[in-house]
Amino acid sequence: QVQVVESGGGLVQAGGSLSLSCETSGRTFSRDTMAWFRQAPGKEREFVAGITWNGGIRKYADSVAGRFTISRDNAKNTMYLRMNSLKPEDTAVYYCAARELFTISTASSQYSYWGQGTQVTVSS
């Protein structure tokens, strides 16, 4: 059974930091491109950051570049998102996603595997 499970969300004050994890199992994700998306209430799901299978290429949304860092540990089947200098507008449900191609896509429709999401709330 394929599983993608996010963890690490929570409530943090503006300016604070939070780290998210995405654990995968049930198939080999080590060759997948993986990404973080987020969805705020009333808004569409948006791309946050993506990373190729070996971490060689990383891509960030303009809104988080310089504040967020994506990484992965294939030996642990886990991807991470370190979020610094958080802002109230970062409040959303954060989702982990994977696709079987080698390039990073910013379109959620291009990802086949999804987690259930973890809530991140940033208070002002």
Side-chain angles (χ1 to χ4, degrees):
Q1 180 181 1
V2 175
Q3 286 192 315
V4 179
V5 181
E6 303 95 336
S7 62
L11 174 64
V12 63
Q13 288 189 332
S17 298
L18 210 57
S19 290
L20 305 183
S21 297
C22 171
E23 294 187 45
T24 63
S25 62
R27 63 177 290 275
T28 300
F29 283 88
S30 60
R31 292 289 182 173
D32 288 359
T33 291
M34 299 191 71
W36 289 97
F37 285 78
R38 67 186 182 187
Q39 188 166 18
K43 295 187 176 182
E44 293 188 353
R45 191 168 298 189
E46 64 174 0
F47 174 83
V48 174
I51 186 168
T52 51
W53 72 276
N54 63 352
I57 299 174
R58 308 180 194 201
K59 182 181 178 67
Y60 298 93
D62 290 343
S63 58
V64 307
R67 300 188 297 122
F68 290 12
T69 301
I70 189 172
S71 61
R72 67 191 293 170
D73 185 340
N74 288 336
K76 296 182 179 179
N77 297 317
T78 303
M79 178 179 67
Y80 307 95
L81 186 68
R82 175 64 176 177
M83 305 184 292
N84 295 327
S85 303
L86 282 161
K87 305 174 182 180
E89 50 264 44
D90 294 319
T91 295
V93 176
Y94 283 70
Y95 296 91
C96 170
R99 69 193 299 243
E100 296 178 28
L101 299 178
F102 291 132
T103 55
I104 299 169
S105 173
T106 61
S108 60
S109 61
Q110 297 301 306
Y111 291 80
S112 303
Y113 302 96
W114 289 88
Q116 81 292 343
T118 185
Q119 177 71 47
V120 171
T121 303
V122 184
S123 63
S124 56

